[in-house]
Amino acid sequence: MRPLIFGNGSLLVCVDERGIVRDFYYPYAGMENHGGFMRLGLYDLARKRFAWLEDWDKSQSYVREAPDLSGSAYDVSMVGETDYFSPDFGAEVAVRSMVHHERNFFLRTVTVKNTSGEPSRLRLFSSQSYHILENNFANTAVRDGPMLNHYKRDRFFIQSSRPVFDQFTTGISEWRDRQGTWKDAEDGVLEGNIVAHGTVDSTVGWTLPELPQGESAVVHFWVCVGRHFREAKEVHDWVRSRDLDSLYRESSRYWKSFSVKAQSHGHLSSYSSLPDDVRDAFSRSLLTVFCHIDRGGSIIASCDSQIKQQGADYYTYCWPRDAAWVAMALDRAGYRYLCRNTYKFFSKILDRRGFFRHKYTPAGDLGSTWHPLPMVQIDETGLPLYALYRHWLEDRNIMTISALYEPLVRPAADFLVSFIDPGTGLPQPSFDLWEERKGVYAYSCACVYAGLRSAAEMASLIGDEGARARWDSAAASVRDATIRRMYDPALGRFRRGVGDDTVDASLFAVWYLGLVPPDHPAASGTMKAVEDRLTRPDGGIARYEGDQYQGFMNSWPLCTLWLAQWYLCRGDLERGMSLIRWAISHSAKGGLMPEQVNERGEPVSVLPLAWSHSTFMTAVIEYLEAQAGRFWSPF
């Protein structure tokens, strides 16, 4: 789990549930994870005993900020805090952390308080291991005056502090019987080795002034990142010249100002009427989604790398499907400028034959896969076209559509047409939304329909009437064939797919993407089955009947919020809000939402999941629209 994350589009840092910094992504949000660990320890010089803080009792959250006098923003912060408690050790430690919104550095401020009944002399340690370029070989760690630097090739990390550390060492870690310099800290004195190379780590320490009972000492520690020493050093010099406490205030003000746009946007004009917990969660979702967006346009699924412990891969890829849903939420929240790069990114990664493959790295390279060639999930080609059309509805900038028409819209729409089986009128078999089975599924058909309808609308915008007619006709064919082949009047609902009667939460797409209108009996029958068959004891909604992914029919915030959107579309605001609040109550303390929740109410799989947060944003927007008498319409 990663209950605290901080990012600016180039540098993304994640802290785990024990307060250890685990992920250090640079220069892409979600790629090149240079993190190994960054952990804190405390040594009592009088009693000669040591403790790693992750072993203490702790609480984690984002720092809560009061609203401005103007009321322009509520409780928005990208500053995290981990508080450690140990009555036995006689100390409390508070750690504030942030990534600067423009400059690539990570700042931690550690406040150590003496809670024993007598004066104490303590020494604070920070130990760090970087897996630069995602491995720990051929790295160098070297002390350079007030800095302790790690580097390899074109990745440079400068560590420094105020006050300057008075203890330091570098050494070999994770190699044969060498555990690392963190072991050297446990006797309270570092040996002062200046340089090490290979599989290296480093530890620095600060001897704190004598602290009377109840008094505190403060240490600021920062890590500046660049492609070479000069770039990192420029950032370091800028940080060193600043009042470091003011950086936290500036960060809070920046993210408050960032969030004002959402609260002044048309869809959220009555934002102030929302309950406090919903406003909190919306703001946290907005900032969490932002952390997953790379400046080049990629949007990764999750920054939580812990998932690799259950397999050999991560969620730090851009799935075109996930990215499209996230982009639609941002568009509706008023952040169209963030999405423009995502649509450009789509045009760059589209296969020359007109389809998107399974997933991509944030740099745009083909991601790993478990799918055989050609790695097609056809919903991932249809949905980006629909997202681009929804972007047009929010932005009304014909230049965007014109610029993306030839490299994205035309080839993708033509591929969708070519993918339709002329014998059935349905798309050919491909992997489903959950990437577990190959076949013809209602969710995928809805995405193909929405993509073709959207392409036809965009063709009309620029006067390509031949393409408009061709794509409109294909969309109608898919719609009619899907209703004919997958709606079962005897069941009173849609099947998941051809020959597959499983009740699946993804069937929400048949009305949400316009295959049938929301007031159609097929839509209400389908959603009734979803609620009746997939509601779990905790009130959440499972993915589908019999789901066994990381537990039996775990609740998914994503699927629960789809049901909320259904009730909001039907005008039942009370039920919709109760499901929105379910997602809040099953988030981590700091407000981050997981992919799944098990029967004990614990986060499962990754925390956070960007798609969970973007769907929460969408549900809140649709709640406010329904409150104003405006209900969802896909076109």
Side-chain angles (χ1 to χ4, degrees):
M1 292 192 300
R2 300 295 183 259
L4 295 175
I5 67 171
F6 318 95
N8 64 13
S10 294
L11 176 61
L12 173 56
V13 178
C14 309
V15 179
D16 74 8
E17 67 274 19
R18 302 175 71 195
I20 300 173
V21 178
R22 290 292 187 184
D23 305 306
F24 220 106
Y25 300 100
Y26 171 86
Y28 299 96
M31 196 175 84
E32 292 192 28
N33 189 355
H34 310 286
F37 64 78
M38 183 182 293
R39 59 199 299 223
L40 296 168
L42 201 62
Y43 185 79
D44 188 316
L45 292 163
R47 292 186 287 176
K48 299 188 183 306
R49 65 173 185 164
F50 182 89
W52 290 108
L53 299 190
E54 68 254 28
D55 297 326
W56 290 10
D57 294 334
K58 65 191 70 65
S59 66
Q60 290 175 294
S61 64
Y62 287 94
V63 175
R64 296 179 63 86
E65 302 290 345
D68 291 340
L69 293 176
S70 64
S72 60
Y74 183 83
D75 205 24
V76 180
S77 167
M78 195 90 87
V79 175
E81 188 162 68
T82 303
D83 296 319
Y84 298 95
F85 313 94
S86 177
D88 178 61
F89 201 92
E92 294 179 358
V93 180
V95 183
R96 280 197 170 194
S97 304
M98 60 166 275
V99 163
H100 193 263
H101 49 275
E102 288 184 356
R103 300 174 189 270
N104 290 321
F105 68 89
F106 175 59
L107 174 63
R108 304 187 97 186
T109 296
V110 184
T111 302
V112 181
K113 181 179 180 180
N114 175 18
T115 59
S116 70
E118 57 188 12
S120 63
R121 289 295 307 276
L122 302 172
R123 184 168 286 157
L124 175 69
F125 291 96
S126 179
S127 184
Q128 40 281 325
S129 171
Y130 299 103
H131 291 186
I132 302 178
L133 294 173
E134 303 202 350
N135 67 72
N136 200 23
F137 303 115
N139 294 298
T140 297
V142 57
R143 191 268 179 96
D144 181 5
M147 305 178 296
L148 204 158
N149 305 334
H150 286 241
Y151 70 89
K152 179 166 64 181
R153 287 174 41 193
D154 57 350
R155 301 290 180 259
F156 212 99
F157 296 75
I158 291 179
Q159 303 171 139
S160 193
S161 64
R162 184 181 299 162
V164 176
F165 50 84
D166 61 346
Q167 296 264 316
F168 74 92
T169 198
T170 67
I172 306 299
S173 68
E174 305 173 45
W175 180 252
R176 295 180 179 171
D177 60 345
R178 307 293 291 275
Q179 292 177 283
T181 61
W182 58 270
K183 287 295 292 183
D184 189 25
E186 292 181 344
D187 65 1
V189 180
L190 299 176
E191 69 177 30
N193 187 49
I194 292 175
V195 63
H197 70 102
T199 59
V200 302
D201 71 345
S202 67
T203 302
V204 292
W206 301 266
T207 305
L208 305 179
E210 183 174 272
L211 296 176
Q213 196 278 330
E215 295 297 311
S216 302
V218 176
V219 171
H220 300 283
F221 178 61
W222 60 87
V223 183
C224 303
V225 191
R227 288 178 171 80
H228 42 70
F229 173 76
R230 185 178 66 256
E231 185 175 300
K233 182 65 161 50
E234 287 174 356
V235 178
H236 163 74
D237 290 346
W238 185 89
V239 175
R240 189 177 59 177
S241 69
R242 301 299 298 269
D243 171 11
L244 299 178
D245 288 323
S246 73
L247 293 179
Y248 292 104
R249 294 191 296 271
E250 291 173 13
S251 175
S252 294
R253 179 54 60 89
Y254 177 89
W255 293 113
K256 281 186 178 184
S257 299
F258 174 84
S259 300
V260 164
K261 187 174 185 64
Q263 296 165 33
S264 62
H265 189 58
H267 293 294
L268 290 160
S269 57
S270 55
Y271 180 83
S272 60
S273 69
L274 290 169
D276 289 353
D277 59 336
V278 179
R279 287 192 291 177
D280 271 352
F282 186 91
S283 296
R284 181 55 50 209
S285 292
L286 175 60
L287 298 189
T288 302
V289 165
F290 177 84
C291 286
H292 288 77
I293 305 174
D294 182 76
R295 291 181 180 177
S298 162
I299 304 175
I300 60 169
S302 177
C303 56
D304 181 359
S305 71
Q306 190 172 2
I307 193 73
K308 74 179 184 295
Q309 297 176 7
Q310 302 171 26
D313 213 341
Y314 312 91
Y315 275 38
T316 53
Y317 294 99
C318 177
W319 275 262
R321 172 201 309 111
D322 295 42
W325 283 115
V326 172
M328 283 189 277
L330 287 168
D331 273 331
R332 295 179 73 184
Y335 293 85
R336 298 184 293 272
Y337 68 93
L338 289 178
C339 304
R340 290 181 189 125
N341 281 343
T342 298
Y343 300 118
K344 292 177 183 176
F345 182 77
F346 284 159
S347 71
K348 293 175 183 176
I349 64 175
L350 186 72
D351 186 276
R352 61 180 178 81
R353 289 165 286 181
F355 60 87
F356 291 102
R357 294 182 186 265
H358 184 189
K359 52 191 167 83
Y360 298 84
T361 72
D365 306 304
L366 187 62
S368 63
T369 189
W370 53 91
H371 294 344
L373 291 171
M375 309 175 192
V376 172
Q377 298 175 169
I378 198 59
D379 67 301
E380 292 207 286
T381 300
L383 201 62
L385 292 180
Y386 181 63
L388 179 58
Y389 177 66
R390 296 296 309 186
H391 176 77
W392 153 257
L393 293 179
E394 298 291 341
D395 197 41
R396 301 290 178 176
N397 185 348
I398 191 60
M399 295 176 70
T400 301
I401 302 302
S402 179
L404 294 173
Y405 187 77
E406 291 297 334
L408 175 59
V409 176
R410 179 185 289 279
D414 282 344
F415 180 81
L416 291 177
V417 173
S418 73
F419 200 75
I420 297 171
D421 183 338
T424 65
L426 295 171
Q428 299 171 43
S430 69
F431 279 88
D432 71 337
L433 161 67
W434 308 123
E435 306 180 339
E436 295 176 339
R437 57 195 66 81
K438 192 172 184 179
V440 182
Y441 297 101
Y443 174 88
S444 300
C445 292
C447 291
V448 170
Y449 166 76
L452 286 168
R453 271 287 312 272
S454 299
E457 295 289 345
M458 290 184 281
S460 182
L461 289 172
I462 65 168
D464 189 351
E465 291 303 320
R468 182 203 61 76
R470 184 169 69 254
W471 298 335
D472 243 347
S473 175
S477 172
V478 170
R479 180 195 61 214
D480 295 345
T482 304
I483 296 172
R484 184 172 63 251
R485 298 289 299 275
M486 293 188 217
Y487 174 63
D488 187 333
L491 295 173
R493 62 173 175 85
F494 275 88
R495 300 185 181 99
R496 176 164 69 181
V498 173
D500 187 342
D501 290 345
T502 306
V503 175
D504 191 308
S506 68
L507 287 168
F508 95 104
V510 299
W511 64 269
Y512 196 81
L513 297 180
L515 279 179
V516 295
D519 59 359
H520 194 287
S524 56
T526 298
M527 294 309 293
K528 184 179 186 304
V530 166
E531 184 167 19
D532 290 348
R533 306 272 281 274
L534 301 183
T535 298
R536 308 303 297 144
D538 64 2
I541 302 297
R543 285 196 303 176
Y544 55 82
E545 293 176 296
D547 182 15
Q548 307 246 358
Y549 179 48
Q550 301 197 28
F552 179 73
M553 289 185 70
N554 290 330
S555 296
W556 284 53
L558 172 68
C559 300
T560 307
L561 290 162
W562 287 341
L563 184 62
Q565 290 174 272
W566 163 251
Y567 274 106
L568 295 171
C569 183
R570 304 304 295 147
D572 190 340
L573 275 66
E574 182 178 353
R575 177 61 173 147
M577 178 54 72
S578 72
L579 292 164
I580 287 172
R581 281 185 144 156
W582 181 94
I584 297 172
S585 66
H586 289 80
S587 300
K589 183 181 178 183
L592 302 192
M593 295 181 184
E595 180 183 66
Q596 306 174 47
V597 177
N598 67 18
E599 61 184 9
R600 296 181 297 278
E602 301 164 336
V604 178
S605 188
V606 292
L607 174 82
L609 183 73
W611 196 359
S612 295
H613 283 281
S614 67
T615 309
F616 182 87
M617 291 169 59
T618 300
V620 171
I621 290 169
E622 290 176 6
Y623 173 85
L624 292 173
E625 290 178 335
Q627 199 175 49
R630 301 189 304 272
F631 300 98
W632 170 249
S633 177
F635 290 97

